[in-house]
Structure formats: structure tokens, C-alpha cells
Amino acid sequence: MISERLQYIIDVVPILDTIADIGTDHGYIPVNLIKKSRAKKIIASDISKQSLQKAKDIIIKNHFENVIDTRLGNGIDILDIDEADGVIIAGMGGILISKILETSYSNKFINKKPVLILQPVQQAKELRYYLYENNFKITDEYVMQENNKIYHIIIAEKHHKIDDRYDKIAKHKDIYMEFGIINIEKKSELLSKIIRNNIEKIKILINELSKKSVDQQHIDFLKDRLKNMEDIYYETWGTYPKA
Ligand SMILES: C[S@@+](CC[C@H](N)C(=O)[O-])C[C@H]1O[C@@H](n2cnc3c(N)ncnc32)[C@H](O)[C@@H]1O
């Protein structure tokens, strides 16, 4: 049995010829993608020899050595030019994911624009900022919960210009980057709950800090964040049910 987070990632990966799983660790993603016939070939890589060994073991156990190639190395440096149609980078911080893309995406993808399936465990906001500001278009995104932890899954592709959506959200940019423009458009029940929880937490924090002699600038920042979050909540879900 694999975790709900991993199952979610596997379920949103489109059917492609060659997929690279960067930072594969246990190797569950490539093995399950092959089991589900999502790819003809997978390149599973990791920067850590020990982690890659775990992947090798599970690949051998499943007799998938002929369809899953394992490579030791940093990020997408391990790929040949235009070798993959899809790239999965999951279970890492959003800043690390953006650094991996920044380091070698443009050297490795000359004629192909692979589908990127990105799953930051934190810093989803920083990753979205990086993607939008570097001409990657977020084509879909999801938010899911497992064991009280919230996970974002972002599908993106290189684009020739900055995504139009990014210009249209200037007023509440930070909140849109935190929760995702498409996620908000989808008006999911889970996201509504997440934003409501955030709103309630900020209100409590502002109340507590206001009683102490805390830097007013920090309180003003929180008030601004609260206002932006409430604006988006009302614009998207209309009413505000009591938490
Ligand atoms: C927490 S595991 C995630 C495993 C799996 N992708 C998942 O989502 O469950 C992160 C893995 O990324 C690897 N990693 C970290 N930085 C990397 C890099 N620059 N290039 C390749 N792998 C990296 C780590 O060695 C580790 O095995």
C-alpha cells in the first residue's frame, strides 16, 4: 500500500512515452506508474546513492529493470537532451524544486516541453512565483490532505510568455501564489476549509499580538494578509460559514 499522497501523484500523471522521476528515493512512483501503464520507459534518479539503492531494490523485486532506468546525480542533469516527455519532482521543498528547474531545464529541453508534475512538501508559494515569473504555465493543480498535512500538486509546462492569469491577480498575488490560481478557481471544499482555518488562525494571532507590545509593522502585515484572504474567500465562495 502506498500513501494517499503518492497515489494522488500517480493518478494525475498523464500517459507518456518516457517519464523522469527526479528524487525517486523509495522508487514507489516509477514502479506504480509502470504497473498502471502510464509510461513505456521511466528514468528514476536520486542524488543519494543510498536512496537510489532503495529504488533499485524495488525495481528488481518487480522485474522492471528493462523499463525503469536508474541514475545517480543532481536534478535533471542526469537526463540526455529532450529525453523525457514528463518530469516528476515530488516530496521536496518548493525552493529546491525551482532550483532544480533553474539549474538545467533550459540545457536539457531544447525541442521538447515536457509535462512537469511537481509536488512541493512546503514552499508551494515560492514554487508558483518561480514558475509564473520564468514563463512556465501552470496548466492544472490540486490540493489534497493526508494525516492533517496539506499537499499541493502542480502540473506545468514551459510557455513562450508570462501566463496572462498572473497579470490579472495583482491585487491578491501573494494569496493566489500560496493557494494556487487554478485551485481557487476550482472552488474545492478542501481549499475552502483550508482558507477558513487560516483566516481564523490569523484573527486569533492578531488578537493575541495586539495585547502585547509587538512590532506594529508585523500586526499590520497580518491584517493585510487577513483582508486579502477574506476578499478571496468572499469572491470565491460567497458566504462565510461559521468555522
Ligand atoms: C523525501 S524524498 C521524496 C521521494 C519521493 N519523490 C516522494 O515524493 O515520496 C526526497 C528525495 O529527493 C532526493 N533529492 C534531494 N535533492 C535532490 C537533487 N538535487 N537531485 C536529485 N534528487 C534529490 C533525496 O535524496 C531524497 O531521496
Side-chain angles (χ1 to χ4, degrees):
M1 256 309 255
I2 58 169
S3 71
E4 284 176 49
R5 176 185 65 89
L6 287 173
Q7 189 59 56
Y8 209 109
I9 297 168
I10 287 155
D11 288 344
V12 300
V13 173
I15 297 173
L16 297 164
D17 280 351
T18 303
I19 298 179
D21 180 34
I22 307 297
T24 194
D25 194 20
H26 38 65
Y28 293 151
I29 293 179
V31 162
N32 283 282
L33 284 174
I34 292 293
K35 281 186 181 170
K36 295 232 161 191
S37 308
R38 289 290 160 88
K40 289 183 187 147
K41 182 188 169 187
I42 301 199
I43 299 149
S45 84
D46 208 287
I47 201 167
S48 142
K49 204 172 173 184
Q50 242 183 337
S51 293
L52 197 67
Q53 190 55 50
K54 285 190 257 172
K56 282 181 181 172
D57 292 343
I58 194 176
I59 292 164
I60 292 168
K61 200 170 148 211
N62 283 276
H63 310 290
F64 286 156
E65 303 93 309
N66 55 340
V67 277
I68 305 177
D69 198 3
T70 54
R71 296 184 196 171
L72 183 68
N74 183 25
I76 47 186
D77 294 352
I78 52 93
L79 293 175
D80 290 335
I81 289 173
D82 292 329
E83 195 182 6
D85 307 291
V87 178
I88 301 171
I89 314 179
M92 297 181 207
I95 294 176
L96 178 56
I97 295 175
S98 63
K99 282 193 175 138
I100 288 176
L101 294 173
E102 180 69 13
T103 306
S104 27
Y105 179 95
S106 50
N107 301 330
K108 294 293 175 182
F109 294 103
I110 310 291
N111 295 311
K112 264 190 193 170
K113 291 183 175 133
V115 182
L116 305 175
I117 300 102
L118 311 173
Q119 192 279 297
V121 280
Q122 70 244 347
Q123 303 150 340
K125 177 168 94 173
E126 288 79 357
L127 177 58
R128 286 194 185 91
Y129 267 116
Y130 173 81
L131 293 170
Y132 281 110
E133 288 178 1
N134 289 277
N135 295 2
F136 287 95
K137 185 181 170 78
I138 296 180
T139 55
D140 207 350
E141 56 191 340
Y142 308 89
V143 62
M144 60 91 55
Q145 186 173 18
E146 183 179 30
N147 300 330
N148 272 332
K149 268 206 81 157
I150 303 295
Y151 296 106
H152 292 251
I153 299 163
I154 299 172
I155 317 291
E157 261 173 54
K158 193 74 175 170
H159 205 50
H160 54 279
K161 62 176 177 64
I162 287 208
D163 191 337
D164 293 343
R165 289 165 192 258
Y166 190 60
D167 295 327
K168 288 187 192 142
I169 47 129
K171 205 169 129 207
H172 301 307
K173 197 165 266 182
D174 232 33
I175 307 293
Y176 274 107
M177 291 302 101
E178 187 172 341
F179 299 109
I181 302 175
I182 297 179
N183 276 335
I184 291 171
E185 281 174 359
K186 285 183 180 173
K187 298 185 183 191
S188 87
E189 188 55 40
L190 176 61
L191 189 64
S192 145
K193 203 173 110 193
I194 295 167
I195 298 182
R196 284 203 316 265
N197 282 345
N198 270 278
I199 289 174
E200 293 312 316
K201 275 189 197 152
I202 299 172
K203 279 183 182 165
I204 292 169
L205 191 59
I206 292 176
N207 196 23
E208 279 172 6
L209 293 177
S210 302
K211 291 179 199 156
K212 299 174 188 163
S213 53
V214 179
D215 180 8
Q216 187 58 38
Q217 254 188 335
H218 183 51
I219 296 178
D220 290 345
F221 165 80
L222 288 173
K223 283 185 176 167
D224 194 47
R225 181 167 152 76
L226 176 64
K227 167 89 178 60
N228 285 333
M229 231 181 255
E230 285 181 331
D231 281 354
I232 287 185
Y233 194 88
Y234 291 127
E235 275 166 25
T236 310
W237 285 277
T239 55
Y240 185 70
K242 280 259 169 271

